Amino acid sequence: EAGVTQSPTHLIKTRGQQATLRCSPISGHTSVYWYQQALGLGLQFLLWYDEGEERNRGNFPPRFSGRQFPNYSSELNVNALELEDSALYLCASSLRGTTGNTIYFGEGSWLTVV
Amino acid sequence: KQEVTQIPAALSVPEGENLVLNCSFTDSAIYNLQWFRQDPGKGLTSLLLIQSSQREQTSGRLNASLDKSSGRSTLYIAASQPGDSATYLCAVRRRNYGQNFVFGPGTRLSVLP
């Protein structure tokens, strides 16, 4: 069974541009989470999607947005890129429903803003 | 606000040693706590999940305990191996906060052959 898959693996953008990152959850999982891991910093919660709706977002500006598609895959968009957006972006998925479910992470997408 | 800390920040041990990693959290209103492993530049691999009603979980050489009332969890690694070298993170799933996890900063473990 395939795990959480993310694309692209690496992405280089210039300041001011937009970046789009994609995530496919484990089959059967309806919840998708996005996290940012900047170099030397911990994981920061970005967004949580479930059943196609945004359920919660972390303390990030509105230029970080995303959506979840009917097949439960998700994309994260970062507009007006800034140098400090350079980070590893991690997607995770879990089963919906009970809060006791394990979340599983993908390998991440490295975003470099120059 | 939920804060998660991990001690020590880094640890270097010779192969074969048993070791303990510590995780502390400030708000005991959690659904569960999960331990992860992260290799450099990679995603996170789930190791153990402990529900708030449980005291411990075991998987192979790993044992994790949870004392919710005191806000502490420990990850015990028996007979450490060089392949255990990685960063270990704990995360708590918060009640009433949209099910998002709050992660600790991690403990960077090096097991020397």
Side-chain angles (χ1 to χ4, degrees):
Chain A
E1 180 181 319
V4 178
T5 58
Q6 292 186 243
S7 64
T9 305
H10 293 86
L11 187 62
I12 300 175
K13 291 286 188 178
T14 57
R15 195 169 47 183
Q17 285 188 314
Q18 178 194 30
T20 298
L21 309 177
R22 296 179 177 82
C23 172
S24 292
I26 291 173
S27 178
H29 287 188
T30 62
S31 279
V32 171
Y33 310 80
W34 288 96
Y35 285 84
Q36 181 197 65
Q37 188 176 35
L39 198 61
L41 298 179
L43 272 80
Q44 301 296 319
F45 169 70
L46 270 165
L47 291 158
W48 169 39
Y49 291 96
D50 185 70
E51 297 283 350
E53 293 192 15
E54 182 181 302
R55 301 293 183 176
N56 197 20
R57 68 178 292 129
N59 189 26
F60 280 83
R63 57 190 187 82
F64 286 84
S65 65
R67 54 180 171 167
Q68 187 178 34
F69 299 99
N71 66 354
Y72 305 118
S73 66
S74 175
E75 68 178 28
L76 173 68
N77 296 296
V78 188
N79 295 318
L81 285 165
E82 300 178 2
L83 296 178
E84 53 265 35
D85 296 334
S86 296
L88 177 65
Y89 289 84
L90 291 164
C91 172
S93 74
S94 74
L95 291 168
R96 188 178 185 270
T98 65
T99 53
N101 294 316
T102 301
I103 63 170
Y104 299 90
F105 281 82
E107 289 297 315
S109 293
W110 282 100
L111 172 63
T112 301
V113 183
V114 297
Chain B
K1 180 184 176 185
Q2 177 71 274
E3 294 185 357
V4 181
T5 56
Q6 292 186 244
I7 295 173
L11 183 62
S12 184
V13 299
E15 182 177 3
E17 275 204 7
N18 302 323
L19 54 98
V20 175
L21 309 180
N22 297 289
C23 171
S24 297
F25 48 95
T26 55
D27 186 350
S28 62
I30 63 171
Y31 286 120
N32 55 51
L33 182 146
Q34 197 163 344
W35 282 93
F36 295 88
R37 166 189 172 136
Q38 185 176 30
D39 293 294
K42 300 291 186 180
L44 277 68
T45 300
S46 177
L47 298 174
L48 290 164
L49 171 71
I50 311 177
Q51 305 296 347
S52 62
S53 59
Q54 296 175 324
R55 298 286 292 180
E56 66 179 299
Q57 282 287 330
T58 298
S59 176
R61 294 183 294 108
L62 305 179
N63 175 275
S65 66
L66 174 64
D67 184 344
K68 197 175 69 167
S69 61
S70 67
R72 295 178 185 173
S73 177
T74 60
L75 178 66
Y76 176 82
I77 303 177
S80 59
Q81 303 171 357
D84 295 331
S85 299
T87 297
Y88 291 80
L89 298 101
C90 68
V92 296
R93 192 166 219 175
R94 311 165 73 186
R95 290 185 178 275
N96 305 320
Y97 283 92
Q99 297 192 40
N100 60 292
F101 281 83
V102 178
F103 282 81
T107 294
R108 191 171 66 253
L109 172 65
S110 295
V111 181
L112 307 175

